[in-house]
Amino acid sequence: MDGGPLEGEDETRHTALPELFLELSTDGTILAVRGRRVEDFGIDPQSVGRRISEVLSPSQADAIRDCVERSIRTDSVVFTEHVSSAGGRRRFWQARTIPLGPDRAMRMVIDMSEQLRWHQALERSEARFRQLVEQAVDGIFVCDEDGRLIDVNRQACESLGYSREEILTMNLVDLCQGLDLEQLWEMLDRLDPGQSETHAAGHVRKDGSTFPVELHLGPFWDSAGEPRILALARDVTDRQRLEKAMPVRCCPRPPSKRLAASGATSTTAWGNT
């Protein structure tokens, strides 16, 4: 194989190539060179036919030859990672050495810098989100489609009197009076991710006592593509107590014909029931 482009190779195929791949023999001879950023590695198509030790530093050449030898000897893919700095910017590379036969292997090098930065940014975002969830005044529960709890926040544990370890062995419907699995399944079929509905329920504490909650339920898909249910439980004990204590307005009676004829008016009465 030479180092030139393959006949008929189109732009789509070219841009799908990794940053670099080398085909090498067991003695370190470069048999082929391909890639989108070959020059970044100090290798070019003119290196075909030369020994890797003539092109790269002794330490780099030794490391590559070792990967080639191991991949052929074990007949398996050898993964390695390394970091480089150029122009004040760190880059993270992942290399895979793949055996092609008893006397040669292919080494693919992929720039993982952007993926790693994205992953780090996602981890920071998830950490901030987790902090907000833990500070929420509502109980937050995440369960699978069968109601098995997968995650909860601090308020959920404290309001029910369970430790996190205990509550993650339980089912959401066991903690909520007025909620059953059929309702969860119907909700998953009826609602799209991002939608939610509200249920009146009663939360059951560890000691068996209960308190009223307003339960907001909605489906979503996790990062692995599995269906999940998010439940937000708001304690409405104080609200219900306040509603019971509020005075009730009595509906005024329509005036009798005698009062209407005399021009007298009725009064509106307020009172408790």
Side-chain angles (χ1 to χ4, degrees):
M1 298 174 62
D2 61 23
L6 298 175
E7 185 177 354
E9 181 180 40
D10 58 23
E11 185 63 22
T12 301
R13 182 173 179 181
H14 176 72
T15 56
L17 290 172
E19 277 64 36
L20 169 72
F21 79 71
L22 296 172
E23 188 176 341
L24 301 114
S25 65
T26 50
D27 64 0
T29 300
I30 300 173
L31 303 176
V33 179
R34 292 284 190 281
R36 294 187 291 120
R37 291 164 53 185
V38 173
E39 297 79 8
D40 289 358
F41 299 88
I43 302 174
D44 59 52
Q46 305 306 316
S47 301
V48 173
R50 300 174 64 186
R51 297 289 182 88
I52 193 69
S53 57
E54 299 173 7
V55 178
L56 300 178
S57 68
S59 60
Q60 291 175 317
D62 289 344
I64 291 174
R65 280 200 303 267
D66 177 66
C67 290
V68 169
E69 189 276 331
R70 279 193 291 143
S71 71
I72 293 175
R73 175 168 46 83
T74 61
D75 193 27
S76 62
V77 179
V78 175
F79 291 87
T80 54
E81 295 179 345
H82 64 279
V83 181
S84 66
S85 297
R89 186 175 185 182
R90 288 164 57 87
R91 304 205 72 86
F92 302 85
W93 309 94
Q94 183 186 84
R96 305 177 186 184
T97 307
I98 306 167
L100 298 179
D103 60 353
R104 64 180 58 193
M106 181 174 67
R107 183 172 174 84
M108 299 174 55
V109 182
I110 301 173
D111 186 352
M112 302 296 292
S113 304
E114 293 306 317
Q115 291 92 325
L116 182 60
R117 292 187 184 98
W118 178 85
H119 181 70
Q120 291 172 337
L122 180 62
E123 286 184 336
R124 290 192 294 269
S125 176
E126 289 178 343
R128 288 193 295 268
F129 176 74
R130 185 74 202 184
Q131 185 177 19
L132 291 173
V133 166
E134 288 301 314
Q135 294 174 351
V137 297
D138 294 335
I140 299 178
F141 305 79
V142 177
C143 64
D144 65 14
E145 56 187 337
D146 292 318
R148 290 185 292 264
L149 288 164
I150 298 170
D151 199 5
V152 293
N153 70 342
R154 176 188 54 79
Q155 178 60 23
C157 298
E158 292 182 355
S159 64
L160 296 173
Y162 290 100
S163 67
R164 177 179 172 81
E165 291 72 22
E166 289 175 319
I167 208 168
L168 291 182
T169 66
M170 304 179 71
N171 195 295
L172 181 64
V173 298
D174 296 330
L175 300 172
C176 299
Q177 291 180 339
L179 183 70
D180 57 44
L181 283 177
E182 288 189 1
Q183 288 176 291
L184 292 182
W185 295 334
E186 290 173 0
M187 183 204 66
L188 283 173
D189 291 337
R190 186 172 59 256
L191 300 182
D192 293 325
Q195 296 180 317
S196 65
E197 61 185 26
T198 304
H199 294 257
H203 256 349
V204 183
R205 297 187 181 94
K206 185 176 182 178
D207 62 9
S209 61
T210 62
F211 61 95
V213 294
E214 187 176 76
L215 200 61
H216 300 272
L217 297 168
F220 71 99
W221 298 92
D222 67 10
S223 58
E226 295 294 330
R228 298 290 184 244
I229 297 171
L230 176 65
L232 277 67
R234 174 161 298 179
D235 187 343
V236 293
T237 303
D238 291 339
R239 183 201 300 175
Q240 290 189 359
R241 185 182 298 119
L242 182 62
E243 289 173 350
K244 290 180 180 180
M246 290 178 62
V248 179
R249 179 178 178 177
C250 297
C251 296
R253 296 178 180 177
S256 65
K257 293 182 179 180
R258 182 182 301 174
L259 288 174
S262 64
T265 60
S266 61
T267 59
T268 300
W270 294 78
N272 296 326
T273 58

